[in-house]
Amino acid sequence: MSRLRRRKNDSSRPAGSGGSSIAFKKQKTIDFADDHIDSDQEEDPFHEDHDLVDSDDEEIEEEETLDAKKIRLAREYLRKLEAGGDGDDASGRSSTSEENDSSSEDEDETEHDRIGIKLQRERLKREGTLERAVAEKVKASIHHSRQSLQSVSKDAAETSTTATIQAKEWINAGHVRLLRGHDLTPTCVALQSNGERAISGSKDHSVIIWDVENQRRSFTMCLPWKKESAEEKEATSRTMGQVLSVACSDDGRYAAVGRRDSSVCIYDIRVNNLKKPSSSGTLVKTFTGHKGPVTSLSFRTQSLQLFSGSDDRCIRHYNLNEMMYLETLYGHQFGVTGVDCHKKERPISVGRDRTARAWKIAEDTHLIFRGGAKVASADSVRVMKDDWFLTGHEDGHLGLWMTEKKRAVCSIDQAHGCVGNV
């Protein structure tokens, strides 16, 4: 037993100890009784990144959620409508009595109804079906401007002389602005649906884009004709390249140009040509197929469907989404002078055979409208609504038509005076 105890005491001594007189060094102890370390306070990089992401998400949610943003934008739009007033309503009223009646009705209506009417008006404006009665305002404005001219108060012997003097006075007074850019006579003009730009074509082969608001030339889309040297065999004829018709799509993307050489050229007026700084607009497609000069072009409203009329008595139908020709419409006995199309796929055309025709493309039929033996052939046509259209004739006659009636609903002789055509 004594030996076992002695060995046990020897093993408890540290290695390298010399003898029993060496005192054992006491170990330093740390008391963790007051310090408690939670699991959340442990340093873990994954948890740190996760906490940062959570904090970012909370900040984003605190700033604005998607639904809150939609609500905020909707409220701002409604405030703009309320602040805008009833300016569009006033433009559609033709007299003071109607303005008073409409104002009293607006007072009786609730705020919700007024906002609904404004939203409906905005929707009709986007669709291109908003109707406004502006004739009385335009008439009053023209009458006021005309009374300010000096030649109106004086009696002139000749009507033509009076018209010439009045035209000069209109220009001098600033009511009419003349823009110069073509070398020869302009033959056609088209206005964009938003009214910002206009396109004009001329006999000198040039097509110019105009800035209507600033009343200046924006850029030249097609350069004027220049005489080439005799050595070049493929010289362009000055007559065959004349521009006779232009049209612009409602989205402001494409411009169509019809020439005397029976071609229809499609230009992308959004792209600037960097190689030729003096000209803009890229030629996308050239359609050939007419056997005569292209006299009229028209885009379907809010669509890329194009219709072209020609002296070959035909109307050709194109789809610019696919850049392809679709079909040819036959029926006119003489050359087509005008074509127009609104929302429905039902173009209206006029020709030198003194008829107007409404083409039902889906049914492959068309309606014929005749003005009578005393009415000259029409030069122009404009569709006001899907069932109503206007025709302007060579003798100054103006006719209002409805597709459900064979005769004109209303007609005005010499609508633009005794001198000149419509």
Side-chain angles (χ1 to χ4, degrees):
M1 294 292 293
S2 60
R3 290 181 180 178
L4 291 174
R5 288 177 182 174
R6 191 176 297 173
R7 288 179 181 176
K8 188 174 181 180
N9 294 332
D10 295 339
S11 61
S12 61
R13 295 177 183 177
S17 58
S20 61
S21 62
I22 299 174
F24 293 100
K25 188 177 181 180
K26 295 183 179 180
Q27 296 181 356
K28 187 178 180 181
T29 60
I30 302 175
D31 187 9
F32 294 98
D34 297 335
D35 297 335
H36 297 282
I37 301 176
D38 298 334
S39 60
D40 295 339
Q41 297 179 0
E42 295 179 358
E43 297 180 357
D44 190 352
F46 174 78
H47 289 288
E48 290 180 358
D49 296 339
H50 185 68
D51 294 339
L52 291 175
V53 173
D54 291 341
S55 61
D56 294 338
D57 293 340
E58 290 176 359
E59 291 178 358
I60 295 173
E61 289 178 0
E62 289 177 359
E63 289 178 359
E64 189 177 29
T65 61
L66 182 60
D67 295 337
K69 184 177 182 180
K70 291 181 179 180
I71 295 173
R72 179 178 59 81
L73 294 176
R75 288 176 178 174
E76 291 179 358
Y77 181 69
L78 293 177
R79 290 194 195 98
K80 290 181 180 179
L81 289 178
E82 294 174 1
D86 297 334
D88 293 339
D89 292 339
S91 64
R93 298 164 190 148
S94 58
S95 63
T96 7
S97 61
E98 293 178 0
E99 289 181 2
N100 296 331
D101 296 340
S102 60
S103 61
S104 62
E105 291 176 1
D106 289 342
E107 291 177 359
D108 298 337
E109 291 175 349
T110 61
E111 188 72 18
H112 178 73
D113 294 337
R114 284 186 292 174
I115 294 175
I117 292 173
K118 293 178 182 179
L119 292 175
Q120 184 179 6
R121 189 187 304 114
E122 293 293 332
R123 179 180 61 83
L124 293 176
K125 189 183 297 184
R126 290 193 301 268
E127 294 177 356
T129 57
L130 180 64
E131 298 181 7
R132 295 179 180 177
V134 296
E136 294 295 334
K137 288 191 173 184
V138 173
K139 181 179 178 180
S141 176
I142 294 176
H143 180 72
H144 177 72
S145 301
R146 188 177 181 183
Q147 292 298 325
S148 62
L149 301 179
Q150 298 179 0
S151 62
V152 177
S153 58
K154 298 180 181 179
D155 296 334
E158 298 181 0
T159 307
S160 59
T161 307
T162 307
T164 305
I165 294 174
Q166 289 184 6
K168 292 181 179 179
E169 290 183 356
W170 275 83
I171 296 173
N172 296 332
H175 301 307
V176 178
R177 176 75 181 274
L178 298 180
L179 302 178
R180 302 184 182 277
H182 295 289
D183 296 336
L184 296 179
T185 306
T187 56
C188 50
V189 177
L191 186 66
Q192 285 187 351
S193 59
N194 55 10
E196 294 181 357
R197 296 193 296 180
I199 306 174
S200 63
S202 173
K203 290 184 178 180
D204 61 357
H205 303 193
S206 64
V207 179
I208 299 178
I209 309 294
W210 303 90
D211 188 350
V212 178
E213 183 177 359
N214 298 323
Q215 299 181 0
R216 62 180 180 85
R217 177 169 56 181
S218 181
F219 58 86
T220 302
M221 190 171 67
C222 299
L223 297 176
W225 178 85
K226 293 183 179 180
K227 187 176 180 180
E228 299 178 354
S229 60
E231 299 178 355
E232 298 181 1
K233 297 181 180 180
E234 298 180 356
T236 305
S237 175
R238 183 170 187 173
T239 305
M240 297 304 294
Q242 293 178 354
V243 179
L244 301 181
S245 57
V246 292
C248 182
S249 59
D250 289 344
D251 58 357
R253 180 178 180 182
Y254 293 118
V257 178
R259 301 182 183 273
R260 188 176 290 276
D261 59 358
S262 308
S263 64
V264 177
C265 301
I266 309 299
Y267 292 88
D268 190 348
I269 57 179
R270 303 174 307 168
V271 181
N272 295 328
N273 195 346
L274 300 178
K275 296 182 180 179
K276 298 179 180 180
S278 61
S279 65
S280 297
T282 303
L283 179 62
V284 179
K285 182 74 173 180
T286 300
F287 293 103
T288 57
H290 281 293
K291 298 180 181 179
V294 180
T295 56
S296 58
L297 289 169
S298 176
F299 279 92
R300 181 184 172 189
T301 303
Q302 295 184 353
S303 173
L304 290 180
Q305 295 186 26
L306 176 66
F307 297 91
S308 64
S310 173
D311 279 345
D312 60 358
R313 304 175 295 175
C314 298
I315 299 173
R316 292 174 69 88
H317 185 195
Y318 310 94
N319 185 4
L320 299 191
N321 285 319
E322 305 294 337
M323 285 297 167
M324 60 182 299
Y325 155 77
L326 297 180
E327 59 181 339
T328 302
L329 307 178
Y330 299 95
H332 280 285
Q333 302 300 318
F334 289 94
V336 180
T337 56
V339 62
D340 193 22
C341 186
H342 195 47
K343 297 284 290 183
K344 290 183 180 179
E345 197 175 16
R346 185 181 294 182
I348 308 293
S349 63
V350 293
R352 300 195 182 279
D353 55 0
R354 298 193 301 178
T355 63
R357 299 173 187 258
W359 303 87
K360 299 180 180 180
I361 296 179
E363 292 84 358
D364 198 13
T365 58
H366 66 276
L367 304 175
I368 303 176
F369 306 91
R370 303 181 187 275
K374 297 182 180 180
V375 179
S377 60
D379 282 337
S380 57
V381 60
R382 175 62 62 182
V383 181
M384 301 173 59
K385 294 163 54 175
D386 286 326
D387 298 329
W388 294 84
F389 62 95
L390 283 168
T391 56
H393 299 258
E394 293 178 349
D395 56 354
H397 181 83
L398 185 67
L400 176 63
W401 301 79
M402 185 179 182
T403 55
E404 297 179 358
K405 296 183 178 181
K406 291 294 184 180
R407 296 293 180 178
V409 177
C410 179
S411 59
I412 302 175
D413 295 331
Q414 299 177 355
H416 289 260
C418 301
V419 182
N421 301 335
V422 179

